[in-house]
Amino acid sequence: MAIYRARSLLTLAKSRYTIRRFSSSIIPSNLEKVGFIGLGNMGSRMANNLIKAGYNVAVHDINLSVLKMFSDKGITVKGSPMEVAETSDVVITMLPSPSHVLNVYTGPNGLLNGGNPVKPWLFIDSSTIDPQTTRKISSVVSNFALIEKKDSRVTPVMLDAPVSGGVPAAEAGTLTFMVGGPEEAYNAANHLFSSMGKNTIYCGSAGTGSAAKICNNLAMAVSMLGVSEAFVLGQSLGITATTLTKIFNSSSARCWSSDTYNPVPGVMEGVPSSRNYDGGFASALMAKDLNLASASAKEIGLNCPFTSEATDIFTKLCDEGHGRKDFSCVFRHFYSGKDEL
């Protein structure tokens, strides 16, 4: 029996090694070494999926405790973005705001530090930022030279590739990527995206991925406000949220905010409303994204009344101390909706 178990374990170990080698062998040679900067709720999980897929990953974050978690797993950690760039074919950033992205790319010890030729041929920014900042950084990146040519390339390229799906999709590797930038680079990076997500949509030139993301989050915010308002109106008129949910989800009002991410505590398990709105997508981040949408609309002279109203509502939520709660808390803290008992 002992011999059988030993042989079984050896067979299992060999099979795991074979899977790992197979995974690594299909990674294009120009994508093997990946730098990942920004190890928050989303970035840490995205980096983990790249590691599982067999990439040689080096990471950086200003949070030293997160870096220690990766170091303890045997992952290479770097002290600055510049150090990440020195050893990477590709660098992915996942950061909170435009100012963070600008600093990581162009600040002291940044990815593009000193104006010298760079090693990475591809930079991918998955942060949610405005299209104008994305285009500015993309232009700066394209003016640099590569230390050595990569497949006839003499200058690096940048893709803006924000994501949708939240922390659960980042954990499961089922994110949706919205990608802007040179289509040739998008096609070349497909293996990377498929290691972290299940859907990748090419949006067009530089900045269009960022534009798609803020449009998506604007629609998500307005949808959540509409559903929450309808639930509170229904409760006030004597209809339970459970009953309304059944009606919405079998009629024309059906949407993600009603059938997947219901904001009423007690109606749906496994969503932020079932755990006091902890986890999920913070109201502060939604307010930030809505401000990005407002600024973009203002820049092109487009009147967007829903954007303005939604921005005001989520800003008020944050001002009242609910910024860390999931954005679906608007049902309770703005509309004063009641829990479903």
Side-chain angles (χ1 to χ4, degrees):
M1 178 65 74
I3 293 173
Y4 173 77
R5 288 181 62 193
R7 285 177 177 170
S8 297
L9 289 171
L10 180 59
T11 300
L12 178 61
K14 284 181 177 179
S15 68
R16 285 177 176 167
Y17 178 67
T18 301
I19 292 169
R20 177 77 172 188
R21 286 189 60 193
F22 174 75
S23 176
S24 300
S25 69
I26 62 174
I27 296 174
S29 60
N30 61 351
L31 300 176
E32 286 179 351
K33 297 179 180 179
V34 179
F36 204 107
I37 300 173
L39 302 171
N41 287 335
M42 297 291 290
S44 60
R45 289 163 171 82
M46 294 164 68
N48 276 328
N49 283 327
L50 290 174
I51 294 163
K52 291 174 186 176
Y55 287 93
N56 183 354
V57 178
V59 299
H60 170 72
D61 196 277
I62 59 173
N63 186 332
L64 298 182
S65 63
V66 173
L67 283 185
K68 186 177 185 305
M69 287 172 53
F70 277 84
S71 178
D72 288 347
K73 293 189 291 186
I75 307 305
T76 301
V77 301
K78 299 290 185 178
S80 70
M82 181 176 68
E83 290 181 21
V84 171
E86 288 172 348
T87 60
S88 302
D89 300 314
V90 182
V91 176
I92 302 172
T93 48
M94 186 59 157
L95 301 162
S97 71
S99 62
H100 290 95
V101 178
L102 278 168
N103 187 58
V104 162
Y105 272 85
T106 63
N109 295 315
L111 294 170
L112 306 176
N113 182 59
N116 299 315
V118 296
K119 176 175 170 55
W121 70 270
L122 177 61
F123 295 89
I124 300 174
D125 181 41
S126 288
S127 315
T128 300
I129 63 174
D130 58 283
Q132 295 81 10
T133 299
T134 292
R135 290 173 180 136
K136 176 181 177 181
I137 298 173
S138 178
S139 177
V140 172
V141 166
S142 67
N143 286 324
F144 274 69
L146 288 171
I147 291 175
E148 58 181 79
K149 273 200 313 184
K150 296 280 180 120
D151 300 329
S152 78
R153 295 182 182 87
V154 294
T155 59
V157 294
M158 178 182 174
L159 295 173
D160 47 294
V163 301
S164 181
V167 172
E171 180 83 41
T174 56
L175 291 166
T176 293
F177 286 87
M178 297 155 261
V179 188
E183 191 167 6
E184 179 188 2
Y186 163 75
N187 291 329
N190 186 61
H191 191 280
L192 272 171
F193 293 131
S194 64
S195 298
M196 299 179 284
K198 68 174 182 179
N199 297 308
T200 307
I201 301 166
Y202 181 66
C203 301
S205 60
T208 56
S210 295
K213 179 58 190 291
I214 62 174
C215 290
N216 180 80
N217 281 19
L218 166 60
M220 184 168 71
V222 172
S223 170
M224 182 59 73
L225 291 173
V227 165
S228 295
E229 192 167 298
F231 277 136
V232 172
L233 176 60
Q235 287 180 335
S236 301
L237 296 174
I239 311 171
T240 67
T242 298
T243 299
L244 271 181
T245 296
K246 291 176 182 177
I247 293 168
F248 289 172
N249 292 345
S250 59
S251 65
S252 56
R254 183 172 188 170
C255 63
W256 182 80
S257 297
S258 68
D259 71 4
T260 303
Y261 214 77
N262 197 289
V264 183
V267 171
M268 184 177 291
E269 292 298 318
V271 294
S273 63
S274 70
R275 50 178 184 268
N276 197 32
Y277 300 104
D278 290 329
F281 187 64
S283 295
L285 292 177
M286 179 57 83
K288 180 212 78 172
D289 292 353
L290 288 167
N291 274 300
L292 294 177
S294 295
S296 294
K298 184 177 180 180
E299 182 164 317
I300 60 174
L302 184 64
N303 182 33
C304 293
F306 285 165
T307 304
S308 299
E309 185 68 19
T311 303
D312 290 345
I313 289 172
F314 282 100
T315 299
K316 185 173 186 291
L317 271 183
C318 296
D319 291 343
E320 293 176 351
H322 308 299
R324 293 188 177 182
K325 294 292 186 179
D326 180 76
F327 80 109
S328 62
C329 79
V330 71
F331 169 79
R332 175 187 288 171
H333 295 301
F334 181 78
Y335 288 108
S336 300
K338 300 179 181 67
D339 294 8
E340 192 87 343
L341 300 178

